[in-house]
Amino acid sequence: MTRTARLVHQVARPQGRRPTPTDFTFVEAALPPVEPGGVLVENLYFSVDPYMREVMDFGELHAPMEGRALGRVVESRSDQLLVGDLVAHRLGWRTHVLLSPDQIPPRGAAPDPGGVQVRLREPGVPALRSAGVRLISPPDGVPLRTYLSLLGGTGLTAYVGLTRIARLQPGESLYVSAAAGGVGTAVGQLARLMGVGRLVGSTGSAAKVRHLTERLGFDAAFDHHGGPVGEQLRRAAPDGLDVYFDNVGGDHLAGAIDVLRDGGRIAWCGAVAQYDDATNPPAAPYNLYDVVSKSLRLEGFLVRNHREVQGELEEHLAPYLRSGALVPDETVTVGFDRAVDAFLGMLAGENTGKAIVQVGSE
């Protein structure tokens, strides 16, 4: 059994700029013995997400990057998790993690919506983190990594935004920004299952436009580099829009406000346009008062406040995943040594769908 873990540490804050490889370093740490009631997990996959860029401006330095991960229990002194069990957690960018008894929920318990605040037992890892540990039992035919995409935080974000925030109804028209990313592709796929009318997306290249329209069932899509977003959106949705799922902010939000019909809704999930310079956010949309004059509803949300919906998501999507009617859109980077490359590539828009790093073999 390995007694050494490899981890990715953040060593610099890229405030006001795009992160570079020099902001990270790979380290090795000796793993102490598993304590009574604890387990050792070997990570198989972990997620790289846009929100991590924002966290880099205030997160701890010389500590592992946090994030969702999936792993297998390889050593256990616990009655709650057994060798071979598959688990999800939020302890991120590392090959192995020791879980202490207070991190492990009772077998069969629902996940704690707020996560579990615990002290990590590994050398060099700072005090308190939210472990978010839960047992995973993938249905037959559903790959484990789906619990980082459509059945994970990405899919939950899309599902909550559509069902709880925007309350999309069959036949309504929907616009999604950053539509070729992890959340954007999940929004498009789930909206199709919900009976969306016209589905429009914006993205960052002609190749991604084709990916949206030819593979993911978008009715129209455009490259936001090709001209003012509002003008392109008006051409893509000439009859107006009912709902905007916002992953970008800035001129995308302003363009959507222009095109939304009276009574339209905006589910604001992210603002990737300003993550590299969060200290100097863009000015408010020039047409913000139209939220009043058109009786629009704009609501921001954090998926961590809706963890109770996880079971509903899994129950709803499992039949579609088993039948092949729903196929996760993922970009998988193989190898722990390529973790930083995967993260920086995702920020540069090199992925389609959910960006995942594969550490081990299922």
Side-chain angles (χ1 to χ4, degrees), residues 199 233 261 322 357-358:
L199 179 59
L233 182 56
R261 291 191 279 262
R322 285 197 299 266
V357 176
Q358 180 176 339

Side-chain angles (χ1 to χ4, degrees), residues 7 33 52 140 158 162 174 223 232 249 253 261 355:
L7 311 92
M52 295 174 179
D140 291 342
L162 290 174
L174 168 68
D223 179 353
Q232 295 197 78
L253 177 56
R261 291 191 279 262

Side-chain angles (χ1 to χ4, degrees), residues 154-314:
T154 298
L156 186 62
T157 299
Y159 189 75
V160 167
L162 290 174
T163 63
R164 273 31 179 205
I165 310 302
R167 302 188 183 101
L168 180 71
Q169 300 300 309
E172 289 188 322
S173 57
L174 168 68
Y175 165 48
V176 189
S177 56
V183 171
T185 56
V187 169
Q189 290 175 290
L190 297 185
R192 277 291 175 223
L193 296 181
M194 295 171 65
V196 68
R198 186 164 181 79
L199 179 59
V200 177
S202 60
T203 186
S205 72
K208 289 187 176 182
V209 168
R210 292 191 297 273
H211 182 74
L212 292 174
T213 57
E214 296 175 8
R215 293 192 56 190
L216 295 181
F218 280 70
D219 297 296
F222 59 89
D223 179 353
H224 64 82
H225 299 107
V229 171
E231 294 178 10
Q232 295 197 78
L233 182 56
R234 179 74 67 182
R235 290 193 293 270
D239 297 326
L241 294 165
D242 298 298
V243 172
Y244 171 41
F245 196 109
D246 190 5
N247 293 304
V248 177
D251 58 349
H252 291 69
L253 177 56
I257 290 173
D258 271 345
V259 181
L260 280 162
R261 291 191 279 262
D262 287 2
R265 290 95 69 201
I266 301 167
W268 198 349
C269 171
V272 70
Q274 69 185 62
Y275 286 167
D276 283 337
D277 195 4
T279 58
N280 294 292
Y286 69 91
N287 54 354
L288 188 59
Y289 186 73
D290 285 355
V291 171
V292 176
S293 63
K294 297 171 75 172
S295 298
L296 305 179
R297 180 167 57 81
L298 187 158
E299 183 176 351
F301 70 101
L302 293 171
V303 71
R304 69 186 182 208
N305 296 328
H306 298 271
R307 292 296 180 194
E308 76 283 355
V309 184
Q310 179 68 40
E312 178 184 326
L313 172 75
E314 295 179 15

Side-chain angles (χ1 to χ4, degrees), residues 84-141:
D85 279 346
L86 299 170
V87 296
H89 61 81
R90 293 194 60 90
L91 304 177
W93 297 27
R94 64 187 79 203
T95 58
H96 297 79
V97 61
L98 280 170
L99 299 178
S100 56
D102 53 355
Q103 291 174 289
I104 300 172
R107 196 169 185 87
D112 180 351
V116 183
Q117 292 295 328
V118 293
R119 290 188 180 276
L120 300 186
R121 308 302 191 194
E122 298 174 42
V125 178
L128 292 177
R129 290 284 181 86
S130 176
V133 178
R134 66 188 184 103
L135 183 66
I136 297 293
S137 299
D140 291 342

